[in-house]
Every structure is written in C-alpha cells, then in structure tokens.
Amino acid sequence: MQASLSLLLKLLIAFGLPFALLQVPTPSLPLGELTLVQHRLLAIFVMAALLWILEPVPVYATSLLIIVLELVMLSDQSLLLFRQPADATPLGQFIAYTDIFHAFASPIIMLFLGGFALAIAAAKFRLDTNLARVLLSPFGSQPRYIMLGLMLITAVFSMFMSNTATTVMMLALLVPVLATVPRDDNSIKALVLAIPVAANTGGIATPIGTPPNAIALQYLSDEHSISFLGWMAFGLPFVIVQLALAWWLLQRLFPTRHHTLALHLEGQFQRSWQAWVVYLTFGLTIVLWLTTAWHGMNAYVVALLPLTVFALTGIIGKEELKLFNWDVLWLVAGGIAIGMALDQTGLAGQLAHAIDYASLPSLLILILLSGLCWLMANFMSNTATANLLMPIGAAIATSVPSLAGAGGLTAMLIMLAFSASLGMVLPVSTPPNSLAYSTGLIDSRDMMKVGVLVGLSGLSVLYLAALMALSV
C-alpha cells in the first residue's frame, strides 16, 4: 500500500507540475516571452527531468513519452487542436515530424548497434572471458597487482562493450580469486569495488564506451566533429590517470594482510569457423575505428559492418537480437529528440541566457555545469543526466563569446560527458555499482567513500586540463 501511494505521489508530481507550467502566462516566466511551441516544450522538458529523477516509470519509457508528446504537440503533423493558438501568444515554428522520427535512426543509435553486436558475439564465443583469462595471467599473485590487472582488463572491455556486461563477466572471473581470501580481509572490498570503478571509468575512453559520450558527439558536428581516435586522444589519458588514482586509493582505503593470492583460471579459445569470424571481425572493426583518416569511413559507418557480417554468417540471429539493450537505445533516442527540439525551437538558447553567463569567467562556467552534471549523475541515470544538460551546455558554449572563440563547445561537451560517467557514489548510481553491491561483499558506505573520492579527483583532473587548455 505504501509503495502504491509513493508511486502515485511521484506520478502526480511528474505530470502535475508540467501541466501547471502550461497554465502559466509566458511573460511571467523568468525566460521572458515564449512562443506556445517553446512553452509546451519547456513543460515536456520539466516532465522528463522529474520522471528521470523520480523514476515512477522506467527511464526508457520516459524517452518514448518525450518523442510521442513532441509528435502530438510540437510537430507539423500534431493534433489540430495544438496548431491553433488560443490567444495572442505567438504560436512559433513547428518541428518537422520526420526530424523527430530521425531520433530512432540517428548515427549515434547505429554506433550503439555495432557495439552491441560486438559485445554479444564476443560473449557467445567466450572471446571476452578467454581474453580476460589470458590478460590476467601476467599480473602474478600479489593482491595489488591482481587488482591492477582486473581494473585494466575491465576498463579495456568497457571501452568497447556495455559496462554492465563487462561487470557481470569480471565479477564472475573474480569468484575463484575471492575464494582464496579470508572473509575478514579488506582486500575483498578493494577487489570488488575495483571492478565497477574501472567499468564506469573505462567507458570514457571511446565514443561507444558509454551513452553520455555518444550524446556529446551528437552536438559535435561539422567543424567541431571528433573522430573515434580524436575522442580517444582526450579520453584515454584521462582514463589512465583516473585508474592510477583509483588503484592507489583502493590500496590505501582497504589494505590487505596477505602477500599472495592463488589464481585458478581455466578455459581455451574456440576454434570453429564462426569463432574465427568473430575474432577477425572484432579486431578489424577496432582497427577501422582507429584509422578513420586512412580509409575515410567514420565510426558510425564502421559500426554497421560487424552487425552485417554477424547477421550474414548466422552468428547473430533472432535470439541474439533480443539480447540487444533496446532500453538504452530508446533512452538515447529520447535524449536526441529533446535536444533536437530544444535547438530547433530556440528554447535551448533562452535557457542558456536565463543566467548571464557572459559575465562569468569561462572556467567557472565549465566548473559549474560539470559539477552540476556530476551531482545529478549520482542520483539518476548518467544517460538521462547527459540528455538534460548537453543541449543547454551546447547552447551556452556557442553563445558565450569567451567560450565560442576558444574551442569552448568541444571542452564543454567533453567535460559534461566525463562528469556524467564519474557519478558513482551510490549503489543505484550505475548498473556496475548495483551489481557489485549485490554481491553482499561491500556496503553502501564503502561505495560512497570510494565514489566521492574518485569523482572529486576526476573533476579536479578535468578542471586542471580545462585551465591549461583555456590558458593556451
């Protein structure tokens, strides 16, 4: 009964406040005079934020609702009632309904489809676990080096696979290692926490590693576009620094009493022709992603090649297609749709000018927005956080002179993407955190302690890099 009342209250808040906002005269809003289309979009934006924060419905359902409401209320094929102004308020420019539908077929969606295909094929033929076994063997038997090996392997897999799938795989690999450690040894907590920290951090290195990166790329086009390798030039050094800091931090917070741990890693690579197709396609796709300048195909085009190869060879069939993270694709599509609407209606610009950012130093603007992004990402989905803040950050970066003329758009969106992925304070902050917490080997205080320190250290590295970039 109490759960039902809580759900009802959340729904009333999420839908009631935006409905009340629609009844407010536009001149009375702090944004100034809005068109009816902008006013409706603002209500949809507020509703999406509340639904993503409170989560009375699944986050992907909120994204689908955004797209439907835009089609019904804001598109050139909207309900006739919404195309007729009720008063003297200007109606505004409607959005082409095809532009809203394009959110489902954005290049970003194609990039994720390719990433899912690689991850599922690798898991089907045990490429992931066998690579982990081979890569972990050289790290010896000392606990700190085993933890370093786990973190490096987890981070590398998270660059190209779902961080959730990577965490599941690495926690399973950790089971025989933990079996040799007494339950009262702190190294258990260090080893378990190392995996979600590395999974959350590793995805930062590549455009397909985590949804916030892909959302940032949506706004980096034309002269601001970044290649796969170009993104890694920013992301990989940051990940290396963060992993080193986290490794040192975990050793200090959870020191071990043992000098050695026994590893029992078994298994072998499969030799079937389909397994060889997976191995070769996996390697070739990564090479093509890293050499765009040589062959001319961008990351989005390359992403469809493994999907096509696996479909033609039967490696991915109907059952495997069901394993794709369609909820993530819907969530990203909703963010793309709301970002596009904010841009086309001009509302993003008005939200960006609600505060006089032009009077603030460039670095302070970046710090304020990235800090807000990190704070929000600890309490809600990092993808939902990126969906909400990316369009506003892009509008601010292109309208504030001190940022617009100094690569500010790229700096703003990269910092927001990185900050969203650093949100890992609570068990509910990210799926890897939830999976690690579900083992029962750590408690929320341990996770909060590590999450806060790793997050703040990451933000400090970002701010130092931004200071150096803006001073050049």
Side-chain angles (χ1 to χ4, degrees):
M1 182 64 178
Q2 186 176 2
S4 299
L5 289 174
S6 175
L7 175 61
L8 179 61
L9 179 61
K10 289 178 179 179
L11 289 171
L12 286 173
I13 293 172
F15 290 104
L17 290 180
F19 179 79
L21 181 62
L22 282 173
Q23 314 308 311
V24 177
T26 57
S28 64
L29 293 172
L31 299 172
E33 184 71 37
L34 298 178
T35 66
L36 281 178
V37 168
Q38 290 175 331
H39 199 178
R40 293 168 191 163
L41 178 59
L42 179 61
I44 293 172
F45 182 81
V46 172
M47 178 211 67
L50 290 171
L51 286 174
W52 276 330
I53 293 170
L54 300 175
E55 288 193 54
V57 296
V59 289
Y60 62 84
T62 298
S63 286
L64 187 59
L65 179 61
I66 290 168
I67 293 173
V68 171
L69 288 178
E70 287 187 4
L71 289 167
V72 172
M73 300 176 67
L74 309 179
S75 76
D76 56 5
Q77 295 296 310
S78 61
L79 195 65
L80 287 175
L81 175 66
F82 292 114
R83 285 186 258 170
Q84 300 168 358
D87 51 32
T89 305
L91 194 57
Q93 181 66 41
F94 285 100
I95 305 168
Y97 81 99
T98 51
D99 289 347
I100 300 173
F101 275 123
H102 285 165
F104 286 118
S106 164
I108 302 301
I109 301 296
M110 300 302 112
L111 190 64
F112 270 93
L113 284 174
F116 293 160
L118 287 173
I120 289 171
K124 183 176 180 180
F125 290 90
R126 301 187 62 80
L127 173 62
D128 48 8
T129 53
N130 282 309
L131 277 177
R133 173 181 55 81
V134 171
L135 294 173
L136 192 56
S137 298
F139 288 92
S141 58
Q142 291 189 43
R144 59 175 176 170
Y145 292 123
I146 291 175
M147 181 168 66
L148 177 62
L150 286 168
M151 294 180 74
L152 290 176
I153 295 166
T154 303
V156 170
F157 278 128
S158 292
M159 295 177 191
F160 302 99
M161 292 172 54
S162 156
N163 56 13
T164 306
T166 300
T167 303
V168 170
M169 177 188 73
M170 296 305 295
L171 285 174
L173 190 71
L174 188 60
V175 169
V177 178
L178 295 179
T180 66
V181 185
R183 281 303 182 100
D184 60 345
D185 195 310
N186 271 335
S187 64
I188 288 183
K189 293 183 177 182
L191 290 169
V192 173
L193 284 168
I195 290 176
V197 168
N200 293 324
T201 305
I204 293 173
T206 67
I208 65 165
T210 184
N213 293 4
I215 295 168
L217 284 177
Q218 183 72 19
Y219 300 93
L220 293 171
S221 57
D222 300 327
E223 70 272 16
H224 299 289
S225 63
I226 299 180
S227 66
F228 196 98
L229 192 59
W231 183 281
M232 290 190 71
F234 293 104
L236 189 56
F238 178 80
V239 168
I240 292 172
V241 171
Q242 274 299 98
L243 288 178
L245 288 172
W247 181 53
W248 176 84
L249 181 66
L250 287 168
Q251 292 180 72
R252 295 298 178 271
L253 292 176
F254 307 104
T256 181
R257 302 193 309 269
H258 295 264
H259 299 292
T260 60
L261 291 177
L263 294 179
H264 304 286
L265 304 174
E266 299 177 354
Q268 60 182 3
F269 287 94
Q270 297 185 25
R271 304 295 182 183
S272 67
W273 69 268
Q274 287 184 314
W276 279 108
V277 169
V278 172
Y279 303 158
L280 293 173
T281 304
F282 200 103
L284 180 61
T285 302
I286 293 174
V287 169
L288 289 174
W289 270 334
L290 298 178
T291 56
T292 294
W294 294 356
H295 54 73
M297 294 184 295
N298 63 25
Y300 311 114
V301 175
V302 172
L304 287 181
L305 298 182
L307 182 59
T308 304
V309 171
F310 296 153
L312 288 173
T313 54
I315 291 169
I316 287 183
K318 293 180 181 179
E319 294 304 313
E320 286 75 21
L321 285 175
K322 295 176 184 177
L323 300 176
F324 279 39
N325 292 335
W326 297 105
D327 56 331
V328 172
L329 296 180
W330 279 21
L331 181 56
V332 172
I336 292 170
I338 202 166
M340 176 274 302
L342 286 168
D343 179 56
Q344 288 198 14
T345 62
L347 182 59
Q350 289 186 256
L351 289 172
H353 289 97
I355 298 175
D356 185 16
Y357 287 101
S359 63
L360 300 176
S362 302
L363 183 61
L364 181 58
I365 297 172
L366 295 173
I367 289 174
L368 287 174
L369 282 173
S370 66
L372 174 63
C373 185
W374 175 73
L375 188 63
M376 289 174 61
N378 283 305
F379 297 95
M380 58 186 286
S381 157
N382 57 14
T383 307
T385 301
N387 279 337
L388 289 171
L389 293 183
M390 287 290 181
I392 298 174
I396 292 171
T398 53
S399 60
V400 175
S402 60
L403 285 171
L409 178 64
T410 302
M412 172 72 77
L413 297 183
I414 287 178
M415 286 187 69
L416 287 178
F418 288 14
S419 300
S421 294
L422 289 172
M424 58 182 92
V425 168
L426 303 173
V428 297
S429 296
T430 68
N433 280 24
S434 301
L435 289 166
Y437 183 75
S438 68
T439 63
L441 299 173
I442 55 174
D443 56 44
S444 57
R445 287 175 298 176
D446 299 324
M447 186 168 284
M448 183 174 293
K449 193 189 319 180
V450 173
V452 168
L453 293 174
V454 170
L456 292 178
S457 67
L459 291 176
S460 301
V461 172
L462 279 180
Y463 300 155
L464 180 61
L467 177 63
M468 294 171 61
L470 292 173
S471 62
V472 172

